[in-house]
Amino acid sequence: MRTVSAGACRGRGTIAAMTTDTTGTAARDGEPRRGGPADSPFVRACRREPGPHTPVWFMRQAGRSLPEYREIRANVPMLESCRRPDLVTEITLQPVRRHGVDAAILFSDIVVPVAAAGIDLDIVPGTGPVVAEPIRTAADVERISPIGRDEVSYVDEAVRQLVVELGDTPLIGFAGAPFTLASYLVEGGPSRTHAKTKALMYGDPDLWHALCARLAEVTLAFLQVQIDAGVSAVQLFDSWAGALSEADYRRFVLPHSTYVLGGLADSGVPRIHFGVGTGELLGAMGEAGADVVGVDWRTPLDVATGRIGPDKAVQGNLDPTVLLAPWPVVETEVRRIVEQGRAAPGHVFNLGHGVLPETDPEVLTRVVALVHELTARPER
């Protein structure tokens, strides 16, 4: 099923003859070589180091906007596609080939580790994750088992395949943050109000913290498997954290996200933290331990930098719906975001959330080229 040809991705070269350390830097006989993913524009920006241009990647770039993705996923359920390393590899590579983005992101889903931990769930087309037996009691929490490499061996295999195929292009691993995972498990699926989640949070704080602590362990283990397999960075998605006040975030969420990100402090890879609708939470999210804080489209990057502080890079933050507008509108907005990003000590250009399915892929390709053109700088 593998359709990747030699040289299909940038910088592939002799990477297959090399091993990979946990920073994503290719090495031979244990000696780091110059360049490689750890010296890429993306990793440099995450580390607040100068590079040849502002790097670009898009959340959900490996997915529904690409006709080649829709073709390869035809009649393959989502969870099954996440458990087939060759399919994961091909889908992850598709936007790198097409758009020339500066990083790949592992094709997977945030509920993959929860399913591996023993929770009966499915990803229903048009709905999202649906949990057979939502979490309600301490006994339900006990159903969440620890995971390691054996439980997600397909992810380990896919990452190792991708590191070889990508060469100098970095691969981003990811996981869902404890709060967002807990919300799915308590609600039984997606929710607009998170009413059941908040009811449990307020009504039984001990059970809430027990649930999040268990999920934090699963999340940390899942990210560690990806790091051990060779990803160059990781992103922790807290998609629904914006439903909370800052006070509630600090009390019910921050300790668990800090546990995950802090547990990776010695991993040698940049850590990105992102949530939607989190403008008022950016300062607190920056305290959780990430090197880069993702910003959705609601908060200008220069304003976000002031809230996050000067010791973090930022990622974002074009409104995904702008990509549906005529090109002059897209170009104007891209220029604005690039300019606002200059206020940050490091900027990774991205969307403020994921690529919409109806997006024209050619527009994404043009955005990558425009950002590279606007930010090109000579190497010293």
Side-chain angles (χ1 to χ4, degrees):
M1 135 89 239
R2 186 67 138 281
T3 60
V4 182
S5 60
C9 293
R10 296 173 295 139
R12 182 171 171 186
T14 59
I15 191 79
M18 300 176 180
T19 58
T20 303
D21 68 19
T22 56
T23 67
T25 303
R28 192 190 300 276
D29 299 327
E31 291 297 323
R33 73 178 176 91
R34 187 178 180 84
D39 195 38
S40 64
F42 167 73
V43 174
R44 286 196 195 184
C46 290
R47 300 192 186 285
R48 309 187 307 281
E49 298 171 356
H53 57 257
T54 296
V56 187
W57 72 279
F58 304 109
M59 288 180 280
R60 292 185 185 160
Q61 66 186 17
R64 297 168 291 174
S65 68
L66 300 183
E68 56 266 42
Y69 168 81
R70 293 193 292 270
E71 180 181 355
I72 203 171
R73 274 285 322 280
N75 302 316
V76 182
M78 181 61 179
L79 272 178
E80 180 185 343
S81 69
C82 295
R83 292 166 174 159
R84 290 172 50 179
D86 282 357
L87 194 56
V88 170
T89 297
E90 170 61 18
I91 293 171
T92 301
L93 291 172
Q94 287 175 349
V96 180
R97 295 194 198 103
R98 181 185 273 266
H99 303 312
V101 287
D102 292 283
I105 182 158
L106 180 71
F107 174 74
S108 188
D109 190 274
I110 64 171
V111 299
V112 165
V114 179
I119 296 298
D120 184 5
L121 57 82
D122 193 15
I123 301 174
V124 178
T127 299
V130 175
V131 180
E133 298 180 51
I135 300 294
R136 296 285 184 269
T137 67
D140 293 334
V141 173
E142 290 301 315
R143 291 192 280 115
I144 304 172
S145 302
I147 68 168
R149 181 184 177 280
D150 290 347
E151 286 72 29
V152 289
S153 58
Y154 43 87
V155 172
D156 175 86
E157 183 179 345
V159 171
R160 293 178 189 276
Q161 289 181 4
L162 279 161
V163 167
V164 173
E165 296 290 349
L166 286 164
D168 290 348
T169 301
L171 174 64
I172 305 168
F174 80 93
F179 172 78
T180 292
L181 294 178
S183 182
Y184 277 118
L185 295 185
V186 173
E187 300 288 340
S191 171
R192 292 185 180 277
T193 63
H194 308 282
K196 295 175 184 176
T197 302
K198 291 184 177 182
L200 176 62
M201 209 171 61
Y202 298 136
D204 195 340
D206 290 342
L207 180 58
W208 171 261
H209 285 295
L211 171 59
C212 287
R214 184 67 62 95
L215 291 171
E217 294 279 3
V218 170
T219 299
L220 177 58
F222 187 57
L223 290 173
Q224 192 63 59
V225 167
Q226 296 174 62
I227 291 170
D228 291 344
V231 299
S232 298
V234 293
Q235 176 157 306
L236 187 67
F237 283 85
D238 212 349
S239 306
W240 309 132
L244 301 175
S245 69
E246 182 181 357
D248 286 344
Y249 177 86
R250 288 185 176 278
R251 179 183 175 190
F252 294 112
V253 178
L254 183 57
H256 305 291
S257 294
T258 300
Y259 179 87
V260 175
L261 293 167
L264 303 174
D266 297 327
S267 67
V269 305
R271 300 154 295 168
I272 309 167
H273 197 19
F274 171 75
V276 182
T278 54
E280 297 303 316
L281 306 180
L282 288 172
M285 291 182 71
E287 296 171 19
D291 305 288
V292 185
V293 177
V295 183
D296 78 3
W297 67 93
R298 297 171 178 87
T299 307
L301 289 180
D302 49 355
V303 174
T305 295
R307 296 177 183 177
I308 296 164
D311 61 339
K312 311 283 183 187
V314 297
Q315 179 176 278
N317 68 339
L318 182 68
D319 186 334
T321 62
V322 168
L323 297 172
L324 308 180
W327 175 251
V329 176
V330 177
E331 180 176 356
T332 297
E333 288 299 292
V334 168
R335 289 178 178 274
R336 176 182 64 80
I337 288 164
V338 165
E339 190 59 35
Q340 290 174 347
R342 298 186 194 280
H347 177 210
V348 176
F349 189 98
N350 207 311
L351 304 182
H353 200 193
V355 175
L356 297 172
E358 57 268 41
T359 304
D360 181 355
E362 179 59 29
V363 176
L364 291 171
T365 304
R366 293 182 71 179
V367 168
V368 175
L370 177 59
V371 174
H372 287 173
E373 176 188 344
L374 291 174
T375 62
R377 56 185 78 93
E379 291 273 31
R380 293 184 177 179

